[in-house]
């Protein structure tokens, strides 16, 4: 339901920003009437048949699927390759060693769910860019791993140096937790999703697939590098012939110096139970579809990342399905818009926004001169309520568009429901990378054929 609403709203936003002079003959709301939930469902089904991590054959197949759909919908297409550093797990293990030398090896696996498709290609749980390593040390629980948590440990006389830190995810970026522990002298980090944060109402609503709540064996994969993009080419694109920094000393490039591992709440339980002390407070491929406008050097960009740690049904491919549905409708019904519309399908977002960052670094001057707006949709469906954010320039437009879309669960509009769920404030939302449109080579975006 809300995937369709997200598509409605994005259609209106793109139509209003891109078409402007064309609105009198074909109003923006017309595009909303063309949305097909069957089309979105079919696209999402095809996108999520197999796991598709960036840089894998399955990831490449997903890129080709998006490119073929763009062509099918009548868009001019382009693909751009970069050679970037990514990491994959070879082996990982975790054991609890008790005082009398007994031990417990933790499973480090996720239970499969009926109907989730082929799980043989699911990448083992790991943190991208975590270095290889081995550690045997006492465990220190660091709550959410924020600086204030480590300050609290100091005030209690708890020594972190030389220990393995275990902390729960939820209040700060996982990479910051690892670096905070590293600064305190920890030798390794283990992070888990606390059910109080990731399965809040599971006792009454159940776990996935019966609700949105993470099951006990669920693990959060992700990157732990601090800066976006390829760490070997900070500030410039990772083209084939680009100069690269020495990969033998990645720690000075924002990569942690100590190993880090994600585990499930189920695997974290025996570690937590064994602790004493006080209770703590709570190569990526970019695919572009282009509709050239009469102002062909003014770009409205609509983007979504395509890669996923596993199947990506919610993040990002509910958004990919919506992006393709928008492309279908524009390709089918739109005559020449006032501004060029560029559909961007990013790869390697899960590896610290690498796909979009490298392209932006390759096209900074062009974007600064020509980009009108960037609209992003990664998670079109992740729950039962609508939310959106924008930079201040788009605040009013976003509000007006939500007033035009009806909420199927009430007699009002999405705006009415949105106001009932949260307070709307000005954005300041970074959509591709912090520098994307603020310091947006003289290289021109490839014109449509």
């Amino acid at each position: 339901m809300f995937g369709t609403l997200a598509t409605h709203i994005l259609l209106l936003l793109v139509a209003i920003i891109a078409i402007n002079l064309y609105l009198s003959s074909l109003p923006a709301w017309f595009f909303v009437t063309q949305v097909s939930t069957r089309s979105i469902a079919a696209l999402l089904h095809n996108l999520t048949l197999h796991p598709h991590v960036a840089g894998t054959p399955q990831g490449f197949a997903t890129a080709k699927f998006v490119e073929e759909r763009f062509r099918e919908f009548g868009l001019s297409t382009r693909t751009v390759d970069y050679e970037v550093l990514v990491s994959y797990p070879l082996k990982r293990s975790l054991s609890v060693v008790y005082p009398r030398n007994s031990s417990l090896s933790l499973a480090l696996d996720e239970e499969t769910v009926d109907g989730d498709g082929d799980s043989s290609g699911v990448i083992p749980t790991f943190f991208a860019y975590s270095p290889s390593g081995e550690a045997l040390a006492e465990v220190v629980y660091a709550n959410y791993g924020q600086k204030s948590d480590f300050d609290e440990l100091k005030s209690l006389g708890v020594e972190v140096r030389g220990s393995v830190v275990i902390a729960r995810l939820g209040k700060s970026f996982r990479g910051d937790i690892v670096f905070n522990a590293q600064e305190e002298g920890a030798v390794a980090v283990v992070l888990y999703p606390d059910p109080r944060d990731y399965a809040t109402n599971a006792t009454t609503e159940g776990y996935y697939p019966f609700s949105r709540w993470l099951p006990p064996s669920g693990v959060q994969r992700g990157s732990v590098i601090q800066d976006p993009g390829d760490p070997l080419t900070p500030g410039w694109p990772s083209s084939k012939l680009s100069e690269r920094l020495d990969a033998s000393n990645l720690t000075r490039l924002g990569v942690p110096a100590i190993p880090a591992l994600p585990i499930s709440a189920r695997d974290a339980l025996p570690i937590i139970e064994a602790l004493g002390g006080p209770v703590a407070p709570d190569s990526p491929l970019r695919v572009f579809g282009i509709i050239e406008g009469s102002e062909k050097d003014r770009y409205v960009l609509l983007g979504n990342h395509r890669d996923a740690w596993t199947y990506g049904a919610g993040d990002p491919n509910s958004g990919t399905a919506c992006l393709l549905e928008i492309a279908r409708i524009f390709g089918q019904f739109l005559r020449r818009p006032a501004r060029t519309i560029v559909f961007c399908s990013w790869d390697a977002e899960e590896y610290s926004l690498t796909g979009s960052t490298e392209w932006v670094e390759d096209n900074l001057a062009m974007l600064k001169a020509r980009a009108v707006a960037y609209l992003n949709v990664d998670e079109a469906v992740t729950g039962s309520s609508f939310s959106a954010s924008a930079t201040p320039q788009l605040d009013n437009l976003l509000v007006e568009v939500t007033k035009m879309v009806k909420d199927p669960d009430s007699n009002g509009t999405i705006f009415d429901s949105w106001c009932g769920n949260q307070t709307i404030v000005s954005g300041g939302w970074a959509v591709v990378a912090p520098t994307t449109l603020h310091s947006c080579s003289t290289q021109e975006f490839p014109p449509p054929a």
Side-chain angles (χ1 to χ4, degrees):
M1 176 189 68
F2 278 94
T4 305
L5 294 174
T7 311
H8 287 173
I9 290 166
L10 275 165
L11 277 167
L12 283 166
L13 285 168
V14 177
I16 292 170
I17 296 172
I19 307 170
N20 58 3
L21 300 176
Y22 189 57
L23 286 175
S24 58
S25 59
L26 193 58
W29 56 259
F30 169 80
F31 295 96
V32 176
T33 66
Q34 306 305 312
V35 174
S36 165
T37 55
R38 288 188 177 183
S39 174
I40 294 174
L43 290 166
L44 182 59
H45 174 75
N46 281 284
L47 287 162
T48 58
L49 283 173
H50 307 284
H52 44 283
V53 176
T56 64
Q58 295 84 0
F60 181 76
T62 309
K64 298 305 292 182
F65 175 81
V66 171
E67 182 183 21
E68 289 165 3
R69 298 293 78 69
F70 281 161
R71 283 210 186 100
E72 177 187 330
F73 302 151
L75 279 64
S76 173
T77 64
R78 295 289 183 272
T79 60
V80 182
D81 288 313
Y82 297 100
E83 295 183 0
V84 303
L85 178 71
V86 296
S87 64
Y88 304 104
L90 296 176
K91 178 184 178 182
R92 76 268 192 278
S93 63
L94 184 64
S95 298
V96 183
V97 180
Y98 296 101
R100 295 185 179 181
N101 290 326
S102 62
S103 63
L104 172 67
S105 294
L106 302 178
L108 301 183
D109 60 5
E110 296 174 294
E111 293 179 355
T112 57
V113 175
D114 291 341
D116 261 1
D118 178 20
S119 62
S120 61
V122 173
I123 196 166
T125 55
F126 83 116
F127 281 144
Y129 300 110
S130 168
S132 298
E134 184 176 348
L136 176 62
E138 291 187 348
V139 177
V140 171
Y141 176 73
N143 199 21
Y144 288 103
Q146 298 175 304
K147 287 187 178 295
S148 59
D149 294 315
F150 286 104
D151 290 340
E152 179 69 15
L153 288 172
K154 288 178 184 177
S155 70
L156 295 171
V158 177
E159 179 62 57
V160 174
R161 183 168 300 279
S163 70
V164 173
V165 164
I166 183 169
R168 48 181 173 160
L169 296 153
K171 288 195 174 180
S172 58
F173 170 53
R174 68 188 80 85
D176 290 340
I177 302 174
V178 176
F179 275 90
N180 289 341
Q182 178 179 306
E183 288 180 357
E184 297 297 328
V187 295
V189 177
V190 175
L191 301 180
Y192 73 98
D194 193 310
R196 287 175 290 182
D197 298 310
Y198 290 86
T200 309
N201 293 331
T203 53
T204 56
E205 299 176 13
Y207 298 103
Y208 172 83
F210 305 105
S211 76
R212 61 180 297 189
W213 304 115
L214 188 70
S217 68
V219 180
Q220 183 191 108
R221 297 164 179 82
S223 168
V224 290
I225 196 171
Q226 287 193 305
D227 298 318
D230 184 357
L232 301 183
T233 59
W236 66 91
S238 295
S239 303
K240 187 174 183 179
L241 300 179
S242 290
E243 180 181 1
R244 284 168 170 77
L245 300 179
D246 184 3
S248 64
N249 187 11
L250 291 175
T251 55
R252 63 186 178 88
L253 305 178
V255 176
I258 60 176
L261 183 70
I263 65 172
S264 66
R266 183 180 64 186
D267 281 340
L269 186 59
I271 303 176
I272 302 298
E273 288 179 335
L275 296 176
V279 177
D282 244 345
S283 166
L285 183 66
R286 286 44 123 199
V287 183
F288 300 90
I290 305 161
I291 301 175
E292 187 178 275
S294 27
E295 295 180 51
K296 64 180 182 180
D297 59 351
R298 290 291 180 266
Y299 302 146
V300 174
L301 300 100
L302 176 59
N304 157 268
H305 81 89
R306 194 180 58 249
D307 64 300
W309 289 123
T310 53
Y311 301 94
D315 177 10
N317 295 134
S318 63
T320 311
C322 288
L323 178 139
L324 290 172
E325 177 67 358
I326 294 168
R328 180 188 72 82
I329 295 169
F330 272 88
Q332 182 174 355
F333 291 99
L334 184 65
R335 287 167 280 173
R336 192 180 181 95
R339 292 162 174 163
T340 294
I341 304 172
V342 182
F343 294 87
C344 311
S345 178
W346 308 117
D347 200 1
E349 186 272 352
E350 300 291 4
Y351 286 88
S352 195
L353 305 177
T354 294
S356 56
T357 298
E358 297 307 314
W359 184 79
V360 168
E361 289 174 342
D362 208 11
N363 295 277
L364 287 174
M366 179 274 289
L367 288 170
K368 186 175 181 180
R370 300 183 178 186
V372 175
Y374 178 89
L375 306 175
N376 194 74
V377 53
D378 281 347
E379 301 180 20
V381 180
T382 55
S384 57
S385 60
F386 174 78
S387 65
S389 56
T391 54
Q393 301 96 321
L394 295 178
D395 279 352
N396 290 336
L397 180 60
L398 180 58
V399 167
E400 291 306 310
V401 165
T402 58
K403 291 178 179 179
M404 300 170 66
V405 180
K406 295 185 67 175
D407 184 346
D409 291 335
S410 71
N411 294 323
T413 64
I414 294 301
F415 178 79
D416 298 329
S417 302
W418 191 15
C419 289
N421 290 330
Q422 64 184 53
T423 302
I424 299 175
V425 296
S426 294
W429 181 41
V431 287
V432 179
T435 59
T436 300
L437 297 181
H438 294 289
S439 58
C440 293
S441 83
T442 54
Q443 181 173 333
E444 182 174 336
F445 190 87

